[in-house]
Amino acid sequence: TTNLGDLKNTILLFIIFPVLLIAYHNVAYGHLISNALLIAGVYGIYYKKICRVYLLVSIPITIYTVLASQLGWVTNLIYNQDGRIRESFGFIYPTDFAAHLFFMIVVWVLLRGLKCTYWEVAGMVLVILFLHLKSDTRCSEITILLIAFVVVVLKLINAKKKKGMESYQLPLLLKLGCISLPFIFASTMALLCRFYNPENSFMLFLDKLLTGRLKLGKRTFDNYDTTLWGQYIDMYGNGGTLEKPEYYTFIDCSYINILMRFGLIVFCVVILIIITVMMKNMNNTLILLAISIVCLHSMIEHHLFEFYYNIFIILPLASFENNTEMSIHLSLKNKKEKTGKLKYRGGF
């Protein structure tokens, strides 16, 4: 099984790495080369070690940035958008600040598993309230709430079953449903944006629900062709300045952003990466549901392909089995077997 897993990982590496390098050579977006090197670099490393490093870097930087913004050391952009007062806390835009908190909470939950206490869940709720009052970032607020809900539900199910921390398994149909979500969300957003018509009342309703993502996606499709290996797109958004751009061209939806900027082939590889990580965790309900929520978040925000937000993008070749724990387990098992044999011989 190990040899087969290594072979699959090697094949994946020889698919992902060249594709990202070719796309980088074509459009020179830094994300492409960074992700390619990190995906190869974490080959075979236990994912929890990577998650710990992620938090050890992200948490202090976030805390420092927030404090620095309050002390006047860095610019704290505060937006007044039709009466919505939204604070950025030193980040380029309020949604970027909220997205950092969302992804850090996701990684924290992956590390803690269902050992997460209800106090930690209460902390997540406080983060939601804080974001709602200070930054009004609905997408991240909803997805943090979903993460908290998943933790509570799984804890209650496990408490009822009185089994191990990761014992609960989703039915096979739901597992397959989760794994299909990256493809479903990506294709749905691509089709809705491509064929968006504001005269259609249902599409107009969806566009309002998705805070204008369909209209902006349609604008991108009108201005640019879909390419195989990507293209440079000038993106002007609200971040980094209090002045509104004359013509908003930022591509907020991750799926449209990846498709139009990095090309169709990279788009397919990104979906392959996410599905691969999910398939490796078919029996880990928490990871399956966490990635599903990240994919939902990516319909609205553009962080799916950014490793400093979404840690899952660099994990397709990582190990999801703790070899240290496995070796200790096998050692104890062998020791028990040897002890049993000695006792058995002594009985005659």
Side-chain angles (χ1 to χ4, degrees), residues 67-274:
L67 290 175
S69 73
Q70 301 304 298
L71 295 171
W73 297 346
V74 298
T75 302
N76 182 22
L77 296 169
I78 302 175
Y79 296 83
N80 186 343
Q81 297 171 332
D82 301 321
R84 293 170 67 196
I85 307 300
R86 310 177 71 192
E87 194 167 347
S88 302
F89 292 97
F91 290 83
I92 197 168
Y93 198 65
T95 55
D96 291 276
F97 167 60
H100 271 293
L101 297 185
F102 163 66
F103 281 103
M104 284 191 292
I105 286 170
V106 169
V107 175
W108 178 270
V109 167
L110 292 191
L111 284 174
R112 293 282 291 150
L114 299 187
K115 292 178 183 177
C116 270
T117 64
Y118 289 111
W119 286 109
E120 287 167 81
V121 174
M124 296 178 208
V125 174
L126 288 177
V127 169
I128 294 168
L129 291 173
F130 174 79
L131 288 175
H132 185 70
L133 291 172
K134 304 296 287 186
S135 300
D136 193 11
T137 50
R138 286 164 285 189
C139 178
S140 291
E141 292 166 27
I142 290 168
T143 46
I144 293 171
L145 184 62
L146 287 173
I147 289 289
F149 177 76
V150 164
V151 171
V152 170
V153 169
L154 291 181
K155 281 178 70 70
L156 290 174
I157 291 173
N158 265 16
K160 190 175 181 181
K161 288 179 173 287
K162 295 182 179 179
K163 291 184 179 179
M165 296 308 296
E166 310 293 345
S167 60
Y168 177 72
Q169 297 289 313
L170 288 173
L172 179 60
L173 192 61
L174 285 180
K175 288 180 181 179
L176 294 174
C178 286
I179 290 171
S180 66
L181 284 178
F183 174 77
I184 290 172
F185 287 155
S187 56
T188 298
M189 287 303 291
L191 290 171
L192 285 174
C193 290
R194 177 65 183 82
F195 299 105
Y196 173 69
N197 180 3
E199 294 179 4
N200 183 307
S201 58
F202 178 67
M203 282 193 166
L204 188 61
F205 168 75
L206 282 179
D207 187 48
K208 288 180 179 179
L209 188 66
L210 296 171
T211 60
R213 266 45 177 185
L214 301 186
K215 178 179 68 179
L216 295 171
K218 172 64 173 172
R219 181 182 294 174
T220 304
F221 278 111
D222 289 342
N223 292 339
Y224 299 93
D225 293 325
T226 305
T227 64
L228 284 179
W229 293 106
Q231 62 197 311
Y232 180 76
I233 295 178
D234 281 319
M235 296 202 302
Y236 300 101
N238 292 324
T241 177
L242 295 178
E243 295 180 9
K244 284 188 176 183
E246 291 182 11
Y247 190 64
Y248 189 98
T249 58
F250 198 89
I251 310 171
D252 293 287
C253 171
S254 287
Y255 304 111
I256 306 303
N257 191 307
I258 295 165
L259 175 63
M260 301 305 289
R261 295 174 70 216
F262 305 134
L264 180 60
I265 295 177
V266 172
F267 174 79
C268 292
V269 163
V270 170
I271 301 303
L272 173 65
I273 287 171
I274 300 299

